[in-house]
Amino acid sequence: MSFCGILRESMSDFQKEKIEIEIQEKEIETKEFLQSFSKGKRYAIYALGILLIPIFFIAKYSVSATYLHFFKVNREIGVHEAIVTNLPVQILETNALSILGSSYSAYALIKNPNKDLVASELKYVFHFQDAEGKDLVSQEGKTFILGGEQKYIVMPNVKIFQAPVSVKVEITDPVWKRRLSLPNVVLKSGVPKYGDQTDPIGFYISNSLYNQSTYTLGTVKVNAVVFDKSGKVIAVTQYTANTVASQQTRDYKMFWPLPIAANVLGDPKIFVETNILDDINLKAAE
């Protein structure tokens, strides 16, 4: 064995012996301290030490149990008090369109900015207003809207005996809900045929819709939006089909009492929809 190895072993033995001596000295000091008390006091100190052991463990576990209970209660409160926050429906565009005489139509392009919230009933009011912002006529309607959806709402024919200067759309307090899944309903639209006609004079759109789903649909709405060559909306109209059976095709025709075909740019935009959030509107095939 090398000299360094012997030296390390000697130092280790010395440190061990030193620690043992220090422990013995502390034991002697403790014993002398206890013996300085009378016999009765020594027994009291021993009893107190024995009692402190279970008290320590009881206090330790009580504090732990209290903390865990407090954490659990606060976590449950946090879950139950979660608030569904939502943004209001955005109204991107509105306009009133003159038809003939005292007849007008109107539309609004709206958007739901809440990607995870739906409303099975979305109530709205079209306010046809004069130059001072006063209502000439107001017309109510309702629709539905899916998460993140952008859509047109249409008021196809309203009687107003004074030409409106503007139209304002008001959407009142939708009831928002989260829907993790939606019924699989597919509605297909054919390619529209359109143009001017002479009897009666006006503009027509003829088309068909097809219910590809397994449900009988209580109500299906078709909104048509016609654009001119500058990209401006010049006509809107609507068709409603009731009780459309599964796998059924339904033909329809819509009419606008003004010849506008020369001003039309591209095919009219056709939007076919049914309220898939309304269980009454969907009847499963037997």
Side-chain angles (χ1 to χ4, degrees), residues 107-127:
Y107 70 92
L109 179 61
I110 64 174
K111 181 179 180 180
N112 176 11
N114 307 289
K115 296 184 181 299
D116 58 344
L117 299 177
V118 302
S120 61
E121 185 175 82
L122 190 73
K123 295 181 180 179
Y124 55 84
V125 182
F126 278 81
H127 298 274

Side-chain angles (χ1 to χ4, degrees), residues 56-74:
F56 168 76
F57 285 104
I58 291 171
K60 177 180 177 181
Y61 288 114
S62 296
V63 170
S64 299
T66 302
Y67 171 76
L68 290 173
H69 175 72
F70 177 79
F71 175 77
K72 182 179 179 182
V73 168
N74 278 271

Side-chain angles (χ1 to χ4, degrees), residues 16-279:
K16 182 178 178 182
E17 183 177 354
K18 182 179 178 182
I19 292 170
E20 290 177 350
I21 292 171
E22 288 178 352
I23 293 172
Q24 291 175 1
E25 288 176 350
K26 294 296 180 183
E27 289 178 350
I28 293 170
E29 289 177 2
T30 303
K31 186 175 181 181
E32 290 177 349
F33 172 75
L34 292 173
Q35 287 178 347
S36 66
F37 294 97
S38 64
K39 188 175 182 180
K41 288 183 179 180
R42 287 203 302 272
Y43 286 141
I45 292 172
Y46 294 150
L48 180 61
I50 294 171
L51 288 173
L52 285 176
I53 294 173
I55 291 173
F56 168 76
F57 285 104
I58 291 171
K60 177 180 177 181
Y61 288 114
S62 296
V63 170
S64 299
T66 302
Y67 171 76
L68 290 173
H69 175 72
F70 177 79
F71 175 77
K72 182 179 179 182
V73 168
N74 278 271
R75 184 177 63 179
E76 290 174 352
I77 291 173
V79 170
H80 290 298
E81 291 184 352
I83 298 173
V84 176
T85 57
N86 61 78
L87 298 171
V89 174
Q90 299 172 354
I91 301 172
L92 306 178
E93 181 183 348
T94 62
N95 200 11
L97 305 169
S98 176
I99 304 176
L100 278 178
S102 59
S103 295
Y104 290 82
S105 62
Y107 70 92
L109 179 61
I110 64 174
K111 181 179 180 180
N112 176 11
N114 307 289
K115 296 184 181 299
D116 58 344
L117 299 177
V118 302
S120 61
E121 185 175 82
L122 190 73
K123 295 181 180 179
Y124 55 84
V125 182
F126 278 81
H127 298 274
F128 297 85
Q129 299 179 332
D130 62 15
E132 297 179 355
K134 295 180 180 179
D135 280 6
L136 300 171
V137 172
S138 61
Q139 196 83 15
E140 297 180 355
K142 64 180 180 180
T143 185
F144 68 98
I145 197 162
L146 304 178
E149 184 181 18
Q150 180 172 301
K151 64 188 290 184
Y152 284 95
I153 53 176
V154 171
M155 200 62 67
N157 193 356
V158 181
K159 293 289 184 181
I160 310 174
F161 295 98
Q162 179 182 333
V165 174
S166 63
V167 62
K168 178 183 176 182
V169 175
E170 177 187 7
I171 295 175
T172 56
D173 300 329
V175 178
W176 296 109
K177 292 183 179 179
R178 281 195 171 89
R179 287 288 294 264
L180 299 179
S181 62
L182 296 172
N184 184 22
V185 176
V186 178
L187 288 167
K188 290 192 172 182
S189 175
V191 178
K193 296 179 180 180
Y194 58 93
D196 291 340
Q197 66 179 42
T198 57
D199 189 17
I201 295 175
F203 179 80
Y204 76 92
I205 301 171
S206 63
N207 202 353
S208 63
L209 63 89
Y210 174 58
N211 177 13
Q212 193 174 324
S213 75
T214 58
Y215 298 94
T216 295
L217 307 175
T219 302
V220 176
K221 287 187 177 181
V222 181
N223 290 328
V225 182
V226 184
F227 297 85
D228 67 9
K229 293 179 180 179
S230 68
K232 181 181 178 181
V233 176
I234 56 173
V236 294
T237 188
Q238 188 178 83
Y239 167 78
T240 300
N242 295 315
T243 316
V244 181
S246 173
Q247 310 303 313
Q248 182 183 7
T249 298
R250 184 75 61 89
D251 296 328
Y252 62 88
K253 184 176 182 178
M254 295 185 284
F255 178 72
W256 184 264
L258 290 173
I260 58 174
N263 299 321
V264 172
L265 175 65
D267 294 343
K269 301 298 182 184
I270 306 298
F271 304 96
V272 185
E273 65 178 26
T274 191
N275 191 347
I276 61 175
L277 305 173
D278 181 3
D279 294 336

